[in-house]
Structures are given as C-alpha cells and as structure tokens.
Amino acid sequence: MNIRKFKWILAFAGAVVVVLLLRGFAFTSYLIPSTGMENSIFQGERILVNKWSYGLRVPFMSLFSYHRWCESPVQRQDIVVFNNPAGIREPIIDRREIYISRCLGVPGDTLFVDSLFSVISPEAQFNPDKKRLYSYPASKEDLITSLMHTLSITNDGLMGSNDSTHVRSFSRYEYYLLEQAMNGKECFIQPLSNKGNTDPNPLIVPRKGQFIRVCTWNITLLRNTLVMHEGKQAEIKNDTLYVDGKPTKHCYFTKDYYWMGSNNTINFSDSRLFGFVPQDHVIGKASVIWFSKEKDTGLFDGYRWNRFFRTVK
C-alpha cells in the first residue's frame, strides 16, 4: 500500500475515533424538535450538550449499568437534556427518547401545583415570554393570521376550534403587539379562562432516603414513580396505595429526582406528562446553540446568525 494513502487512512480513522470519544465522553449535539423551550431555544435549532455538567454518565449502560463520574446535582432553572422517564418499553435508559426541559424542582423541594401539575409558585415565573391560551371569534381567523404575519409572530397552529371560536397560544408580548395593531379598537382576543381547580397542592420532589406522604391528588404520580424507577410492585385499590402488597400512607425513595417544565405552559412534553425525572436519566446541560435557521426557508436564507454559538439560558 502507498505510504501516503496509508497516512490518509490513518488520519481519517484517528479523526473518527476522536469524534466518537468527544460524542461519548464530552459533548453531543441535539436537535430541538418543538416550540416548548421558546424563547430560550427555538424549534429547529441545534445545541451542544455538556455531558460533564452533572458528572459524566458512563456510556453503554447495557454493559456497565448506571455509573456517573464526578457527580454533581442539577441546579434550579438549568435547561437539561435527559432520557424519557416514561419510556419503559426500552429497558436500557440511554437508548430511550431524548427530551429537553428546564429544571423547576430539585430533590427535596416543595413546589405548588394546580390540578394539571403545572407549577404555580413564584419560582415558575422565570420567563416573561411564557405562552398562554387565547380565544377569538372564528370569523376573525383571516385577520389574526394576517396580523401575525405582519408582526412576525410564529404561527404554532390552532390549539382548539369550533364553529364560533378559535384558540391560539401567544406570549404576553405577542398579545400586546396584536392589541396595539388593532389601533385602539376593542380587542376581540381574550385570555382563555381556567375553569379547573386552581387551589395549589404542595408537591414534594423526592430525595434519596426520603418518605413522602400519599394524598388523593398525588397517588397516581407516586405509584407510577415507584413502578417505573424504584422497582416496586405498586397498585391503587379504593383510593389506597398498595406497595408490595401492603397498604401504605408514605412512599420511600432510593433515588434523587427532578421536576422539569417547558418554557411554554401549553407544551406538555415535561414532567406533567412523564412525572419525576431520576438522576440516572440526566444526560447533561444544554450549553451552546451551534446552528439556527428559520423553518421553510431557502438554502442560503433564514439563518439566525446572531444566535450562532450563543450560550443557552
């Protein structure tokens, strides 16, 4: 074999090994699949995930089980990338679907949640651009879409509709822009009233070695956590939780857990959907945006150059 050709093959193989090592032991890239984390991260952007932020979770969990080098806890308000806690059909944790959310609760925290498990404590009000649901007459749909286009408001599609009313999601700022664009006329866009139970319930995020009291409103959440992550046989009979065949009023946990939330409350791909996130499901911290491009644009158009290599926060 030609020596020069051999050197090229050796260099290429070395580069591949370096990339695989970096991907497995330092950083990995992740594509943002939805609008749940806007305006921190936009749909379609690609980010680098720092695997050492909370200690490196040893790869190939099918061979080595769960181990983490230089382990450190997730901090409140960190934007975290993790494996789907509810994806139990795949027994190997690091092969499960990947999610991204903001950490709202760390082990031992007490959060106040509504009937849908949305955090309503002051700690949850971190994002002034958090989206809410608004309704308006269906006959105004063409006007709304025209105003959204003029004001460069992202069209996330209808969140609900019937013959007389349409429902969309807007941030407070987007609602302000639409209100101003109507030139002082009566605004026909109204916040969607919440007719559900608004009384807050205290949600304790489980800490390793902690007992948590079972209540009627958290019994299903605790039962699911015990079954999926604690390896317990648990079931609910007549509003009573049975663990390993015995009725109990308190649950004991052997792992640390986190409560994750989307920036936009209308997006349910967070702990309201899959419950507590165990420490062993955490991959790393969202670090840097390395690619950003508008949807449905040409090959050389629509790049958000001001967002390239921006720190995620």
Side-chain angles (χ1 to χ4, degrees), residues 203-258:
L203 174 69
I204 299 176
V205 183
R207 182 178 65 238
K208 184 177 180 179
Q210 183 179 28
F211 284 92
I212 294 180
R213 184 174 181 179
V214 179
C215 304
T216 55
W217 61 271
N218 70 0
I219 188 171
T220 301
L221 174 63
L222 295 180
R223 179 263 176 193
N224 292 343
T225 306
L226 292 172
V227 171
M228 292 190 296
H229 308 304
E230 296 286 332
K232 299 290 186 179
Q233 295 292 328
E235 58 182 341
I236 300 170
K237 296 180 181 178
N238 299 323
D239 296 328
T240 300
L241 179 63
Y242 286 78
V243 179
D244 294 333
K246 298 179 181 179
T248 182
K249 294 184 178 180
H250 294 83
C251 295
Y252 180 79
F253 294 91
T254 63
K255 299 179 180 180
D256 284 331
Y257 293 85
Y258 299 93

Side-chain angles (χ1 to χ4, degrees), residues 63-96:
L63 300 176
F64 302 109
S65 186
Y66 171 69
H67 298 283
R68 193 179 292 270
W69 295 337
C70 304
E71 184 171 355
S72 61
V74 176
Q75 302 298 315
R76 297 180 191 88
Q77 303 302 323
D78 281 357
I79 296 181
V80 184
V81 175
F82 52 92
N83 293 106
N84 179 12
I88 57 176
R89 290 186 178 180
E90 171 53 65
I92 310 302
I93 294 174
D94 60 0
R95 294 179 182 175
R96 295 178 183 175

Side-chain angles (χ1 to χ4, degrees), residues 15-309:
V16 171
V17 170
V18 170
V19 170
L20 291 176
L21 287 174
L22 287 174
R23 181 179 176 85
F25 292 93
F27 292 91
T28 189
S29 178
Y30 177 64
L31 173 66
I32 304 301
S34 68
T35 61
M37 292 308 298
E38 294 184 358
N39 289 326
S40 296
I41 317 173
F42 289 94
Q43 183 178 16
E45 291 186 328
R46 292 184 179 271
I47 63 171
L48 289 179
V49 180
N50 184 354
K51 293 187 172 184
W52 282 94
S53 297
Y54 314 115
L56 176 67
R57 188 181 68 178
V58 177
F60 312 114
M61 295 181 72
S62 59
L63 300 176
F64 302 109
S65 186
Y66 171 69
H67 298 283
R68 193 179 292 270
W69 295 337
C70 304
E71 184 171 355
S72 61
V74 176
Q75 302 298 315
R76 297 180 191 88
Q77 303 302 323
D78 281 357
I79 296 181
V80 184
V81 175
F82 52 92
N83 293 106
N84 179 12
I88 57 176
R89 290 186 178 180
E90 171 53 65
I92 310 302
I93 294 174
D94 60 0
R95 294 179 182 175
R96 295 178 183 175
E97 186 180 5
I98 295 175
Y99 283 116
I100 182 169
S101 291
R102 189 182 294 273
C103 178
L104 301 183
V106 300
D109 276 357
T110 298
L111 305 175
F112 288 94
V113 297
D114 62 17
S115 59
L116 297 177
F117 285 90
S118 295
V119 177
I120 58 176
S121 67
E123 294 177 4
Q125 306 305 316
F126 57 85
N127 186 1
D129 292 320
K130 182 187 296 183
K131 293 196 175 185
R132 293 170 172 79
L133 296 179
Y134 294 84
S135 64
Y136 55 88
S139 60
K140 302 291 186 179
E141 179 61 37
D142 290 342
L143 175 58
I144 288 293
T145 53
S146 176
L147 288 174
M148 290 173 62
H149 178 75
T150 302
L151 299 171
S152 299
I153 296 175
T154 302
N155 189 342
D156 293 327
L158 292 175
M159 300 298 167
S161 65
N162 56 37
D163 293 339
S164 61
T165 305
H166 284 181
V167 176
R168 285 184 179 272
S169 64
F170 300 111
S171 68
R172 292 177 181 176
Y173 180 63
E174 290 170 342
Y175 174 72
Y176 168 79
L177 292 178
L178 290 167
E179 191 177 37
Q180 294 300 307
M182 295 178 189
N183 298 320
K185 299 178 181 178
E186 182 179 358
C187 183
F188 51 78
I189 308 175
Q190 299 296 326
L192 196 64
S193 60
N194 181 11
K195 298 180 180 179
N197 177 24
T198 58
D199 294 333
N201 292 306
L203 174 69
I204 299 176
V205 183
R207 182 178 65 238
K208 184 177 180 179
Q210 183 179 28
F211 284 92
I212 294 180
R213 184 174 181 179
V214 179
C215 304
T216 55
W217 61 271
N218 70 0
I219 188 171
T220 301
L221 174 63
L222 295 180
R223 179 263 176 193
N224 292 343
T225 306
L226 292 172
V227 171
M228 292 190 296
H229 308 304
E230 296 286 332
K232 299 290 186 179
Q233 295 292 328
E235 58 182 341
I236 300 170
K237 296 180 181 178
N238 299 323
D239 296 328
T240 300
L241 179 63
Y242 286 78
V243 179
D244 294 333
K246 298 179 181 179
T248 182
K249 294 184 178 180
H250 294 83
C251 295
Y252 180 79
F253 294 91
T254 63
K255 299 179 180 180
D256 284 331
Y257 293 85
Y258 299 93
W259 189 262
M260 303 293 183
S262 302
N263 273 12
N264 299 324
T265 56
I266 60 169
N267 186 296
F268 268 74
S269 296
D270 55 24
S271 285
R272 292 170 295 171
L273 173 67
F274 45 69
F276 296 114
V277 178
Q279 176 79 13
D280 56 12
H281 283 60
V282 173
I283 298 173
K285 182 179 179 180
S287 179
V288 175
I289 300 167
W290 68 267
F291 181 84
S292 183
K293 190 172 188 284
E294 294 280 3
K295 296 183 296 183
D296 302 326
T297 54
L299 182 62
F300 300 105
D301 299 322
Y303 290 98
R304 303 187 184 99
W305 296 108
N306 63 325
R307 295 186 59 82
F308 275 62
F309 302 106

